[in-house]
Amino acid sequence: MSAKYVFVTGGVVSSLGKGLAAASIGCLLESRGLRVNLMKFDPYLNVDPGTMSPFQHGEVFVTDDGAETDLDLGHYERFTHAPLSRDNNHTTGRIYEQIILKERRGDYLGKTVQVIPHVTNEIKNAMRKVSSNGADVTIVEIGGTVGDIESLPFLEAIRQMRQELGRENTVFVHLTLVPWIAAAQELKTKPTQHSVKELLSIGIQADVLLCRSERPLSREIKQKIAAFCNVEERAVIGARTVPSIYEVPLCFAAEGVDALILKYLHKEAPEANLTEWKALVDRCYHPRDDVSIAIVGKYVEYEDSYKSLKEALTHGAVSQNLKLNVTWIEAEGLESKTPEDRSYEPQLEGFDGILVPGGFGKRGIEGMLNAIRYAREKQVPYFGICLGMQTACIEFARNVCGLKDANSSEFDPASQHRIIYKLRELLGVEEMGGTMRLGAWTCILQEGSLAASAYGATEISERHRHRYEFNREYEALLTGAGLRISGATPDATYVEIVELPGHPYFLGCQFHPEFKSKPLEPHPLFREFIIASYKNHKGRLAVETNDASTLTNVLSS
Ligand code: GLN
């Protein structure tokens, strides 16, 4: 049986949510009992997004095998169970890197190396590798917008794929914009027509049009788009903006996207079972209460930098039927001139929980330390992720153990007390990405710890992306003063989790748990952080309203 592909392209403008559309199609096909795989081609020349600033490209998503990938792979993992690895994300840079390597090795035997066929062949091989993994349907997202010079080789490759595999094995889904023009009080179809024409000019006739619009598409609009764009009327899908991204698969299902794709692919499948997704969306839209979390970081003005984090917090909140309110606080704004200066405190008041996420570089560190001190002293639930764990250790060393210049060698290489340092360099570990510890690592949890009780297990696997580590020379001092090391690698080389017994929730982890949280499988550490934060919320409310019985309940629960 031939492999089947859904190719997702985008037109008109970027940021229409192509990744989410691809993920939602994957979710729908999975809900019909099919095995899906998803992959993305990014037209930029960086070999991977690992070295790009989060401001430029948003979060770098990390897979189990340690690939640093585009954040759309995060959507794929959250919406499906597709097994993703470095094979599922390719950039132009990576494709060319492989070709140039082969050329230098003499693999092309005196031939002229060209975009067609050599680049396109490399792209097609990458698709075949992913689809040969046992998937019923492989969904391939082409980054960028149709009409860009950079994406041409990818579009040519998918055109060839249809030529080779036939119509019954390939579907072209095109995401476009149908803007509402206030002056005319009309939805306009012209940008969509142009985009479909642009695709056609390179030999690709779109089969399904996902039309992003702020208003529902009327029958007339759909007929018009169908007629001008040469697609079936029912293949013009209104993809309106919805309050929760988790509603997108349900919207697509209501418009019959899955049935249509399966028809085009000549594939039978059972009816979709979306019961759990429906219940999830219902919980999103009917929360019983709110929970408010402050995220103290350095890339806060660009939310995409912390995409998976925001999602994981949402999963935790929705699992408790709570609405998540996130306030992003720029860490630099919390810095103080002297240790006695606590003028930043009002900025941290009124939150149910405080979180310091991952990050690189020195900027904002002192502000993060102040936020952590506040959470520790005032018994506000604290969750520190990667950098947030390292700073929690530094804060504890400084303010509890009295090591005033405790630091990470990342921020102060000359510090006397390097609580956090580059252990891998000392161990002589060299690998791709320099000395970065990347991808899945096993972690053993201490019995009876907060971590072990959250996970309900004592052996876990989580994903990493960092260079610096906890310095075990300071272990005795810090644990003697009350910090608990509750997770470490099986050989005990690396400290993975620290927590503070007696505090309602104070936990820092060296890994990035946010990468593994799914809406239907909220990550245990996020779930427990939200539960503790909500308890704090209820407790504060009871104190404010002098409600003794609630307070007793909250404290004893
Ligand atoms: N900058 C720190 C390190 O490299 C933390 C990295 C992170 O938070 N992902 O170790």
Side-chain angles (χ1 to χ4, degrees):
M1 199 194 64
S2 181
K4 295 191 185 281
Y5 292 90
V6 175
F7 298 111
V8 182
T9 56
V12 187
V13 291
S14 60
S15 304
L16 290 179
K18 217 171 340 122
L20 211 50
S24 298
I25 292 172
C27 171
L28 274 185
L29 297 180
E30 242 187 29
S31 77
R32 283 172 160 261
L34 297 175
R35 263 172 315 165
V36 297
N37 211 337
L38 293 104
M39 67 189 301
K40 180 167 188 200
F41 288 97
D42 280 305
Y44 49 81
L45 286 168
N46 305 61
V47 173
D48 64 43
T51 54
M52 280 154 91
S53 155
F55 289 121
Q56 285 268 317
H57 196 69
E59 161 188 283
V60 174
F61 186 79
V62 180
T63 50
D64 267 343
D65 68 337
E68 298 178 276
T69 72
D70 183 80
L71 56 78
D72 277 331
L73 271 77
H75 288 309
Y76 303 168
E77 281 209 352
R78 290 187 281 272
F79 278 64
T80 73
H81 292 89
L84 303 185
S85 71
R86 64 181 68 256
D87 291 340
N88 299 65
N89 189 198
H90 293 262
T91 65
T92 297
R94 193 159 151 222
I95 300 278
Y96 273 84
E97 187 189 40
Q98 286 152 10
I99 292 173
I100 289 168
L101 206 79
K102 286 187 189 170
E103 192 274 336
R104 292 290 84 187
R105 228 172 31 208
D107 289 8
Y108 296 111
L109 294 170
K111 289 198 189 94
T112 310
V113 186
Q114 293 176 298
V115 172
I116 303 172
H118 299 100
V119 173
T120 46
N121 279 350
E122 203 69 40
I123 296 169
K124 289 191 291 179
N125 285 342
M127 294 184 201
R128 291 192 194 103
K129 183 164 183 207
V130 167
S131 72
S132 66
N133 238 340
D136 296 309
V137 179
T138 302
I139 300 166
V140 181
E141 178 189 347
I142 309 294
T145 310
V146 169
D148 297 345
I149 293 175
E150 288 93 338
S151 49
L152 277 175
F154 299 110
L155 296 172
E156 169 60 15
I158 64 174
R159 186 196 68 78
Q160 292 178 15
M161 289 292 273
R162 157 150 303 175
Q163 194 65 14
E164 287 164 26
L165 297 169
R167 298 185 73 88
E168 68 282 13
N169 293 312
T170 50
V171 179
F172 291 121
V173 175
H174 189 55
L175 184 70
T176 76
L177 178 69
V178 180
W180 171 259
I181 303 298
Q185 288 290 297
E186 252 182 345
L187 285 171
K188 291 293 186 187
T189 65
K190 195 68 91 192
T192 297
Q193 294 179 42
H194 277 298
S195 183
V196 171
K197 215 160 99 185
E198 185 80 36
L199 255 186
L200 199 55
S201 73
I202 42 185
I204 295 173
Q205 165 65 56
D207 299 308
V208 180
L209 297 177
L210 301 176
C211 304
R212 284 299 305 276
S213 79
E214 298 302 319
R215 314 227 165 178
L217 303 186
S218 66
R219 181 87 202 271
E220 291 72 41
I221 290 276
K222 286 192 176 185
Q223 281 170 339
K224 187 172 169 188
I225 294 175
F228 283 118
C229 298
N230 205 18
V231 301
E232 281 191 86
E233 188 187 323
R234 62 173 180 153
V236 181
I237 310 295
R240 71 192 159 85
T241 308
V242 283
S244 164
I245 55 169
Y246 302 126
E247 198 188 339
V248 176
L250 301 181
C251 297
F252 282 6
E255 296 257 340
V257 174
D258 46 337
L260 194 65
I261 286 176
L262 291 175
K263 182 187 105 145
Y264 289 158
L265 288 179
H266 294 233
K267 181 113 192 132
E268 305 266 327
E271 280 301 303
N273 178 358
L274 290 163
T275 322
E276 283 189 83
W277 274 92
K278 283 187 183 141
L280 170 83
V281 171
D282 196 51
R283 281 201 303 279
C284 287
Y285 290 162
H286 304 100
R288 66 182 158 117
D289 209 344
D290 287 20
V291 62
S292 66
I293 304 296
I295 301 182
V296 179
K298 55 180 276 198
Y299 313 111
V300 293
E301 62 268 49
Y302 184 42
E303 273 197 34
D304 267 4
S305 321
Y306 295 122
K307 191 100 195 155
S308 297
L309 175 72
K310 175 89 188 291
E311 289 299 306
L313 280 169
T314 305
H315 306 158
V318 173
S319 77
Q320 303 305 306
N321 202 7
L322 295 169
K323 178 177 182 300
L324 174 74
N325 295 320
V326 162
T327 303
W328 304 88
I329 298 181
E330 178 60 56
E332 265 185 316
L334 296 178
E335 286 174 6
S336 48
K337 307 220 162 32
T338 61
E340 295 71 40
D341 171 15
R342 304 276 184 120
S343 55
Y344 56 84
E345 285 196 348
Q347 288 187 69
L348 293 165
E349 276 161 18
F351 296 109
D352 303 326
I354 294 176
L355 189 150
V356 172
F360 292 83
K362 196 174 168 184
R363 187 168 68 80
I365 295 299
E366 297 299 320
M368 292 172 202
L369 294 173
N370 282 340
I372 296 166
R373 175 178 208 166
Y374 178 92
R376 182 176 55 75
E377 291 180 348
K378 305 228 186 264
Q379 305 283 300
V380 177
Y382 173 73
F383 193 6
I385 295 176
C386 205
L387 177 65
M389 177 248 189
Q390 300 175 349
T391 42
C393 295
I394 296 168
E395 192 280 327
F396 195 82
R398 281 192 195 177
N399 300 323
V400 179
C401 305
L403 303 178
K404 293 288 170 241
D405 79 332
N407 219 327
S408 160
S409 52
E410 180 178 11
F411 319 131
D412 179 11
S415 163
Q416 287 290 305
H417 297 292
R418 296 182 307 159
I419 305 299
I420 307 294
Y421 69 157
K422 261 191 184 171
L423 177 57
R424 289 167 80 68
E425 210 169 74
L426 296 176
L427 295 173
V429 185
E430 275 297 334
E431 58 197 28
M432 278 242 307
T435 49
M436 190 88 98
R437 185 144 75 101
L438 280 167
W441 284 67
T442 302
C443 167
I444 305 296
L445 305 178
Q446 242 185 39
E447 302 267 2
S449 60
L450 175 60
S453 97
Y455 280 95
T458 49
E459 185 177 324
I460 57 160
S461 168
E462 293 283 2
R463 297 180 193 166
H464 292 249
R465 182 172 183 256
H466 57 101
R467 289 194 180 82
Y468 296 82
E469 309 284 348
F470 180 82
N471 181 349
R472 290 205 104 148
E473 286 168 32
Y474 289 90
E475 178 174 350
L477 183 71
L478 269 62
T479 54
L483 195 75
R484 178 173 194 173
I485 291 180
S486 58
T489 46
D491 65 359
T493 303
Y494 300 106
V495 167
E496 305 287 49
I497 308 180
V498 298
E499 50 188 77
L500 211 53
H503 188 285
Y505 189 102
F506 190 101
L507 186 141
C509 52
Q510 188 55 83
F511 46 80
H512 286 276
E514 68 270 30
F515 293 142
K516 287 182 74 170
S517 189
K518 293 174 189 263
L520 294 180
E521 296 155 40
H523 192 286
L525 293 181
F526 282 94
R527 188 194 59 222
E528 293 307 311
F529 173 58
I530 291 289
I531 291 175
S533 300
Y534 186 59
K535 235 187 226 180
N536 178 31
H537 174 95
K538 296 286 272 186
R540 270 192 305 114
L541 222 65
V543 171
E544 276 164 26
T545 57
N546 226 338
D547 174 357
S549 69
T550 309
L551 192 57
T552 322
N553 279 341
V554 170
L555 294 178
S556 61
S557 65

